[in-house]
Amino acid sequence: DTGVSQNPRHKITKRGQNVTFRCDPISEHNRLYWYRQTLGQGPEFLTYFQNEAQLEKSRLLSDRFSAERPKGSFSTLEIQRTEQGDSAMYLCASSLAADADTQYFGPGTRLTVL
Amino acid sequence: RKEVEQDPGPFNVPEGATVAFNCTYSNSASQSFFWYRQDCRKEPKLLMSVYSSGNEDGRFTAQLNRASQYISLLIRDSKLSDSATYLCVVNRWEYGNKLVFGAGTILRVKS
């Protein structure tokens, strides 16, 4: 499968714990995006990378959130000291910089914070 | 006010019906426009891009009115498999090309 993959697909954690999600983009894509989607809403932009550089972060991304893309390939999104309000689907997407309108989404990681 | 507004529905229609969804966007600097489809608990998938000249893909027709900041999607001859949430999406070519999604319109096609 050469699409965008995300792991884990589901994560249940207790409030206050740290969690980390991984995204593997389509191999030749140099842009990688993170979005968050809550029930009844569309996805909301969190941050994006071009290669290994994190170029923009939404104000939705509090200090408890950190994202990395150390070698310009896969990316991780870490949430520290999780809160119940962090419960959501975390979606990763990738694209070519030259065709950034066309973003391919992964299946998402569904986070439940108890 | 949200940047992209849609009627959440649900739209309940019989098979074979024609159904239309509308969407408005507030940022006149928006430059690209799309309809995405999202099945329950799945990722969004691009359905079609939307151009001012209008574009058609089989049973689906999309239209953009830049003056009114309005986007539409028409589905003809609805199928059971069309049941999904339809997300209206705009993109600004400012730094990042981040997609801005509406909350979605739920379509249920019934036999």
Side-chain angles (χ1 to χ4, degrees):
Chain A
D1 185 353
T2 57
V4 179
S5 61
Q6 292 187 245
N7 287 288
R9 295 291 305 279
H10 304 274
K11 179 71 178 179
I12 299 174
T13 191
K14 293 182 179 179
R15 191 174 52 189
Q17 298 295 304
N18 298 345
V19 294
T20 300
F21 310 141
R22 176 177 170 129
C23 171
D24 287 87
I26 293 171
S27 59
E28 63 268 26
H29 285 184
N30 49 5
R31 284 204 179 170
L32 187 148
Y33 304 79
W34 285 99
Y35 294 82
R36 180 173 69 187
Q37 185 174 23
T38 54
L39 197 62
Q41 301 299 316
E44 294 176 292
F45 170 81
L46 293 178
T47 188
Y48 97 99
F49 294 82
Q50 179 153 317
N51 301 313
E52 65 275 10
Q54 187 174 18
L55 296 185
E56 188 174 351
K57 294 196 297 185
S58 163
R59 64 180 185 279
L60 292 175
L61 215 63
S62 76
D63 291 345
R64 297 183 297 105
F65 287 71
S66 62
E68 295 183 340
R69 194 182 183 199
K71 297 182 179 179
S73 56
F74 73 91
S75 174
T76 58
L77 177 68
E78 181 183 18
I79 309 174
Q80 295 182 328
R81 304 180 303 282
T82 52
E83 301 173 356
Q84 287 185 325
D86 297 331
S87 295
M89 174 79 90
Y90 289 83
L91 292 159
C92 175
S94 70
S95 76
L96 293 169
D99 184 21
D101 272 356
T102 305
Q103 297 182 18
Y104 297 85
F105 283 81
T109 294
R110 185 170 296 280
L111 173 66
T112 302
V113 181
L114 301 176
Chain B
R1 182 187 173 193
K2 291 190 175 181
E3 187 168 342
V4 179
E5 301 258 20
Q6 297 182 247
D7 179 346
F11 285 62
N12 295 301
V13 302
E15 275 187 290
T18 296
V19 61
F21 305 140
N22 303 318
C23 160
T24 58
Y25 61 96
S26 60
N27 192 321
S28 58
S30 299
Q31 291 158 300
S32 302
F33 307 89
F34 311 92
W35 284 100
Y36 274 70
R37 171 193 168 126
Q38 187 170 28
D39 294 301
C40 188
R41 304 181 79 84
K42 300 281 192 178
E43 72 273 23
K45 292 187 177 177
L46 178 64
L47 179 66
M48 58 197 307
S49 301
V50 189
Y51 307 114
S52 296
S53 54
N55 50 305
E56 186 173 316
D57 183 2
R59 298 181 293 108
F60 298 83
T61 301
Q63 190 75 48
L64 166 66
N65 184 321
R66 284 186 182 269
S68 302
Q69 296 181 197
Y70 172 95
I71 306 164
S72 65
L73 177 68
L74 183 77
I75 306 175
R76 291 180 299 277
D77 189 22
S78 300
K79 312 290 185 192
L80 293 174
S81 57
D82 294 334
S83 298
T85 297
Y86 290 83
L87 298 161
C88 178
V89 185
V90 305
N91 190 355
R92 295 194 297 273
W93 296 344
E94 63 194 44
Y95 213 43
N97 281 93
K98 56 181 179 285
L99 301 180
V100 181
F101 287 79
T105 298
I106 297 170
L107 172 65
R108 296 180 185 143
V109 181
K110 299 186 183 295
S111 58

